[in-house]
């Protein structure tokens, strides 16, 4: 019997039993199984808006399977609402706070099992990190993507709105069209509708073996069968507890490499690099950032999903979702199908052929792109590595003069003002995990570059990160970061920067001696963290090349 059952036994526990009576729970039922339901609902974003209802469905599934459900909530931060603002600093910080919250509640009320309901970007890795720390049986249910909007005869998502801002600034889109697009792009609740970070991580959850039920995470949030999927997640958590399936037994090197392959094959977000490194760290698995490059190089794009491909998340679900992606990867020998999942079935047993080869390739089909959805670049500008997404970039080589900006706002203003020219390499520094703090996403800048028609001729290099909706030749996660004295801090306006994907190189065209002389000069003064929580985070966060985990 676990500690959770001991909290109600004996005369001295009468006060605790009083509180159970107050909630309508018969203390005798605390003999188990007791299932914690961690919801990441907040009313501040559409992404997680359905989760209160889903939590009740999960609870119904737990009850129906003979368990006692105990619901609790965490915080969450919307990336889209905060993008391009100081509030975006809170996004990555929230990953740690959510993981800590789940860990803390589960430590206070040691459950037999956990169901984590996740949606918006950081909530997904946070839940997996918490499960890895706690190592109690658990499952992760993704609440699901939004449907696409419809505008001028085509499906659209919030990515189109971001890029429309740049088109509007360039005078190529009217006020009326911008307002019209903004009204229809996001027709209801759910995560952003492309293979952006939230949905990328929902794919990863399944390939890590923790998704429940397998393939249901990418079912749209408003789908009529989502409630049934949630009840299934509740029942599966109890089943996993009965079988003694613990997260760390699933979260091994094989599962992480399967997840990396799935992210690459779906043209997923570069944020997955950061998050999977952090999950590996929490699970005690040795995983190096260069493995993303090796797996990315051999993994073709097998699902044509926006922003690099043609289709939205709703189409991915219609085409068969992660079971179809698993089948396509297995056919090419790119994942290990013997990997177990929380369901008790292997990945290979859960794979199923695509229902639409336009979205996920069918047996014998050619990939949508031959390989290399993301790459890790190194060089004198990124000795610890940097990450570039290739699924949304058409160029493999760029050489140009640096346009240096300390912080995102200055770069965004320059792009919108037409102060960035073809061939330039926009350098945004001071946005790393500690320097930001919080490693903001640069979607406002990258979308403005694309919107101004510079996507094919301008590159960007930053110690910040990118939204999954970013496309173009954009290099992020540059480590070590500028605020900690990384070489990015010593780049000067007009310095030549080389991005060479084939050579996996990110190089600054100055000599080692010159770079050392610049480093020996006075250190730049970076702004102080804007509040106590950010100061605590900045003091405890590690390098992006190791997942930006806190210690
Ligand atoms: Fe929440 Fe996109 S901002 S999923």
């Amino acid at each position: 019997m676990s500690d959770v059952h001991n909290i109600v036994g004996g005369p001295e526990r009468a006060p605790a039993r009083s509180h159970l009576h107050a909630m309508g729970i018969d203390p005798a039922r605390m003999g188990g199984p007791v299932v914690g339901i961690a919801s990441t609902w907040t009313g501040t974003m559409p992404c997680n808006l359905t989760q209160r209802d889903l939590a009740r469905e999960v609870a119904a599934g737990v009850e129906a399977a003979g368990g006692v459900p105990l619901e609790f909530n965490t915080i969450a931060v919307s990336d889209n609402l905060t993008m391009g603002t100081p509030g975006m600093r809170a996004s990555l910080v929230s990953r740690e706070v959510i993981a800590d919250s789940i860990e803390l509640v589960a430590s206070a009320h040691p459950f037999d099992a956990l169901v984590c309901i996740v949606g918006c970007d950081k909530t997904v890795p946070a839940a997996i990190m918490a499960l890895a720390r706690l190592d109690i049986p658990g499952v992760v249910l993704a609440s699901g993507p939004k449907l696409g909007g419809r505008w001028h005869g085509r499906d659209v998502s919030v990515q189109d709105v971001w890029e429309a801002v740049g088109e509007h600034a360039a005078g190529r889109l009217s006020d009326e069209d911008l307002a019209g697009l903004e009204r229809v792009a996001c027709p209801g609740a759910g995560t952003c509708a492309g293979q952006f970070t939230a949905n990328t991580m929902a794919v990863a959850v399944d390939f890590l073996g923790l998704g429940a039920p397998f393939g249901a995470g990418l079912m749209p949030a408003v789908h009529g069968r989502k409630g049934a999927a949630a009840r299934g997640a509740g029942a599966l958590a109890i089943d996993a507890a009965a079988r003694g399936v613990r997260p760390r037994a699933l979260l091994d090197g094989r599962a992480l490499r399967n997840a990396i392959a799935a992210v690459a094959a779906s043209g997923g977000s570069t944020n997955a690099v950061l998050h999977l490194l952090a999950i590996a760290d929490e699970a005690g698995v040795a995983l190096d950032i260069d493995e993303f490059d090796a797996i990315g190089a051999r993994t073709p794009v097998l699902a044509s999903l926006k922003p690099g491909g043609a289709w939205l998340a709703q189409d991915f679900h219609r085409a068969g979702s992660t079971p179809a992606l698993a089948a396509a990867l297995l056919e090419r020998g790119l994942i290990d199908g013997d990997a177990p999942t929380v369901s008790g079935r292997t990945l290979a047993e859960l794979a199923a052929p695509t229902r639409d080869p336009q979205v996920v390739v069918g047996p014998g089909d050619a990939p949508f792109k031959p390989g290399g959805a993301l790459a890790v670049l190194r060089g004198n500008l990124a000795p610890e590595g940097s990450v570039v997404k290739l699924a949304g970039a058409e160029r493999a080589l760029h050489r140009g003069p640096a346009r240096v900006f300390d912080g995102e706002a200055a770069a965004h203003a320059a792009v919108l003002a037409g102060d960035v020219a073809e061939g330039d390499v926009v350098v945004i520094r001071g946005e790393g995990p500690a320097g930001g703090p919080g490693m903001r996403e640069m979607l406002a800048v990258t979308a403005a570059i694309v919107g101004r028609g510079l996507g094919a001729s301008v590159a960007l290099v930053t110690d910040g990160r990118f939204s999954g909706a970013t496309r173009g030749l954009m290099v992020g996660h540059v480590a070590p970061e500028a605020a900690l004295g990384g070489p990015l801090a010593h780049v000067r306006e007009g310095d030549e920067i080389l991005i060479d994907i084939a050579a996996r190189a990110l190089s600054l065209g100055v000599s080692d001696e010159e770079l050392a002389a610049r480093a020996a000069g006075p250190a730049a003064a970076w702004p102080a963290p804007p509040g106590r929580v950010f100061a605590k985070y900045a003091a405890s966060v590690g390098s992006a090349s190791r997942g930006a985990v806190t210690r």
Side-chain angles (χ1 to χ4, degrees):
M1 182 177 283
S2 72
D3 290 346
V4 70
H5 310 130
N6 292 333
I7 66 173
V8 295
E12 70 279 11
R13 299 305 303 162
R17 291 195 294 274
S18 283
H19 269 192
L20 291 168
H21 287 302
M23 293 191 289
I25 299 171
D26 179 353
R29 294 190 61 208
M30 295 299 281
V34 178
V35 179
I37 302 172
S39 162
T40 56
W41 179 91
T42 80
T44 60
M45 60 172 82
C47 328
N48 296 9
L49 213 50
T50 58
Q51 292 186 5
R52 282 205 290 211
D53 293 336
L54 283 181
R56 286 187 203 107
E57 297 284 6
V58 172
V62 169
E63 289 272 10
V68 177
L70 293 177
E71 295 177 40
F72 63 99
N73 221 98
T74 76
I75 61 129
V77 171
S78 160
D79 292 70
N80 185 64
L81 272 168
T82 58
M83 191 77 68
T85 77
M88 222 284 152
R89 292 193 179 95
S91 166
L92 190 59
V93 180
S94 77
R95 185 187 76 182
E96 308 307 303
V97 175
I98 296 165
D100 289 353
S101 298
I102 296 173
E103 181 187 6
L104 207 54
V105 175
S107 300
H109 310 282
F111 305 118
D112 294 296
L114 265 172
V115 178
C116 300
I117 307 174
V118 299
C120 195
D121 302 14
K122 253 52 68 186
T123 64
V124 195
I128 305 169
M129 290 161 70
L131 286 174
R133 291 178 192 175
L134 292 159
D135 203 28
I136 62 174
V139 302
V140 179
L141 172 68
S143 52
K146 288 185 190 71
L147 299 176
R150 195 80 185 153
W151 191 68
H152 290 188
R154 62 187 173 97
D155 288 338
V156 292
S157 74
V158 75
Q159 176 199 350
D160 297 271
V161 186
W162 280 105
E163 292 180 2
V165 172
E167 292 181 48
H168 180 262
R172 290 190 278 110
L173 194 75
S174 69
D175 291 346
E176 295 71 31
D177 269 349
L178 182 61
L181 172 61
E182 150 196 333
R183 272 194 297 274
V184 302
C186 300
T191 54
C192 295
Q195 190 64 347
F196 313 144
T197 304
N199 298 340
T200 297
M201 291 309 297
V203 166
V205 164
D206 274 355
F207 285 82
L208 290 171
L210 287 168
F214 191 85
L218 275 297
M219 182 189 289
V222 297
H223 197 290
R225 289 204 297 277
K226 201 80 192 190
R231 292 192 293 281
L236 184 55
I238 289 182
D239 184 44
R243 287 183 282 113
V245 181
R246 292 181 178 271
R248 283 189 177 218
L250 303 173
L251 293 172
D252 58 9
R254 170 168 62 178
L256 280 150
R257 289 171 189 103
N258 280 345
I260 295 169
V263 167
S266 65
S269 165
T270 50
N271 278 318
V273 177
L274 202 64
H275 298 324
L276 290 172
L277 284 169
I279 290 164
D281 183 87
E282 300 282 7
V285 175
L287 184 70
D288 192 88
I289 191 170
D290 291 317
E291 295 213 45
F292 289 82
D293 190 83
I295 295 172
R298 67 172 180 252
T299 307
V301 177
L302 301 172
S304 176
L305 303 175
K306 287 176 181 285
W311 301 92
L312 291 175
Q314 64 196 25
D315 305 303
F316 183 49
H317 170 69
R318 178 175 49 76
S321 191
T322 46
L325 187 62
L329 284 159
L330 280 166
E331 183 194 344
R332 291 160 179 81
L334 294 168
I335 55 172
D336 186 336
D338 293 334
T341 73
V342 69
S343 70
R345 302 169 71 191
T346 65
L347 212 47
E349 288 169 337
L350 293 164
T354 181
R355 295 192 288 264
D356 185 347
Q358 289 189 98
V359 183
V360 181
V361 295
D365 286 350
F368 295 106
K369 230 177 164 192
L374 54 86
V376 175
L377 310 184
R378 290 179 187 267
N380 64 351
L381 204 44
E384 289 182 12
S386 62
V387 179
V388 62
K389 179 174 174 177
L390 305 177
E394 302 309 322
R395 284 166 295 155
L397 186 73
H398 185 105
R399 189 192 301 270
R403 297 297 321 282
V404 183
F405 302 95
D406 291 340
E408 180 195 23
H412 192 218
V415 174
L416 291 182
D419 193 22
V420 168
E422 288 186 9
D424 285 350
V425 180
V426 175
V427 173
I428 307 178
R429 63 190 181 188
E431 293 286 1
M439 211 180 173
R440 289 191 290 183
E441 293 181 353
M442 302 293 139
L443 177 60
V445 182
T446 61
I449 288 171
V450 171
R452 286 199 73 94
L454 296 169
S457 58
V458 164
L460 191 148
V461 175
T462 181
D463 51 9
R465 49 195 182 101
F466 299 121
S467 158
T470 282
R471 59 195 175 110
L473 188 55
M474 314 292 179
V475 185
H477 306 211
V478 171
E481 61 175 292
L484 298 183
L488 209 57
H490 313 307
V491 180
R492 292 181 182 165
E493 192 81 0
D495 282 350
E496 184 180 86
I497 291 179
L498 171 70
I499 302 167
D500 185 342
I501 304 298
R504 297 296 192 259
L506 176 63
S507 311
L508 185 67
V510 302
S511 66
D512 291 347
E513 294 73 27
E514 169 65 13
L515 205 48
R518 292 183 190 182
W526 300 98
R532 191 166 293 188
V533 66
F534 294 104
K536 280 198 282 188
Y537 180 81
S540 60
V541 72
S543 170
S545 65
R546 291 186 292 281
V549 293
T550 52
R551 291 272 185 261

